[in-house]
């Protein structure tokens, strides 16, 4: 990695990263939806075959930013890509290049592994983030609408039909 402030997440970083995820949820006005525990995050990142990966930004020995990501697959491109689940840098560290450095680390992962895409979502009202992403050459996918199943809807669709349905 080019920027020495960026490195792969380690087990001892998990509590700090959970705190950053909670800060991000607060910023996104959805803190009540964030239920992540340190145990859950540790298991996802460090199980024998992890499905989640991460990088952290460190300043003066303190974790101040993070990127949590996983692999997706493009059937059209015929190869994997990276889906960035969360990118967050504490407000006091914004403008220092850490957000760019975290994204650069993921782009380097893509290039080194032959992945075709680096993708993420951003809230429509988050103008500072949108401007930042566009400045890097990222393009909004305006023709796509995100759909999600959660809670009761997911349970209904994923449960066996009851007798008589």
């Amino acid at each position: 990695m080019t920027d020495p402030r960026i490195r792969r997440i380690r087990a001892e970083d998990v509590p700090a990263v959970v705190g950053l995820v909670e800060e991000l949820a607060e910023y996104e006005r959805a803190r009540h939806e964030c239920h992540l525990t340190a145990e859950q995050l540790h298991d996802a990142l460090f199980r024998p075959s992890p499905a989640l990966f991460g990088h952290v930004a460190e300043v003066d020995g303190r974790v101040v930013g993070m990127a949590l990501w996983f692999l997706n697959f493009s059937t059209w491109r015929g190869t994997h890509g990276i889906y960035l689940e969360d990118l967050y840098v504490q407000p006091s560290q914004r403008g220092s290049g850490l957000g760019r450095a975290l994204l650069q680390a993921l782009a380097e992962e893509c290039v080194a592994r032959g992945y075709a895409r680096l993708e993420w979502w951003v809230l429509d009202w988050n103008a500072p983030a949108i401007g930042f992403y566009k400045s890097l050459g990222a393009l909004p996918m305006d023709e796509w609408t995100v759909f999600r199943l959660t809670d009761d809807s997911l349970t209904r669709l994923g449960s066996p039909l009851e007798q008589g349905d």
Side-chain angles (χ1 to χ4, degrees):
M1 270 166 264
T2 309
D3 192 314
R5 301 172 297 173
I6 307 302
R7 62 173 171 76
R8 285 287 192 129
I9 192 170
R10 296 188 295 240
E12 61 267 22
D13 300 323
V14 167
V17 172
V18 169
L20 293 174
V21 170
E22 290 169 348
E23 287 181 33
L24 174 60
E26 184 74 32
Y27 176 77
E28 291 185 349
R29 306 172 189 160
R31 177 62 182 92
H32 62 283
E33 294 180 33
C34 182
H35 306 289
L36 179 68
T37 67
E39 294 79 19
Q40 289 171 320
L41 183 58
H42 185 276
D43 182 55
L45 289 163
F46 300 107
R47 65 176 54 152
S49 294
L52 182 69
F53 308 92
H55 288 75
V56 294
E58 192 175 50
V59 173
D60 297 327
R62 193 171 63 88
V63 174
V64 298
M66 56 85 187
L68 294 172
W69 55 277
F70 54 88
L71 296 180
N72 58 17
F73 189 85
S74 170
T75 55
W76 290 14
R77 296 281 183 112
T79 189
H80 285 287
I82 286 178
Y83 180 81
L84 174 59
E85 178 66 19
D86 286 330
L87 175 70
Y88 183 75
V89 174
Q90 290 181 319
S92 65
Q93 299 296 324
R94 292 185 189 150
S96 67
L98 289 174
R100 179 185 178 88
L102 284 163
L103 283 170
Q104 183 176 0
L106 299 188
E108 288 173 4
E109 292 269 349
C110 288
V111 171
R113 297 176 185 209
Y115 297 161
R117 294 179 178 162
L118 172 56
E119 297 180 307
W120 62 92
W121 298 351
V122 62
L123 291 165
D124 291 338
W125 56 260
N126 195 345
I130 291 169
F132 168 62
Y133 298 144
K134 286 182 175 180
S135 77
L136 299 175
L139 301 174
M141 303 298 292
D142 294 333
E143 296 178 1
W144 294 85
T145 300
V146 176
F147 282 85
R148 177 180 292 164
L149 281 172
T150 61
D151 304 323
D152 293 340
S153 298
L154 179 63
T155 301
R156 273 195 307 278
L157 186 60
S159 297
L161 294 177
E162 293 185 25
Q163 198 85 19
D165 281 351

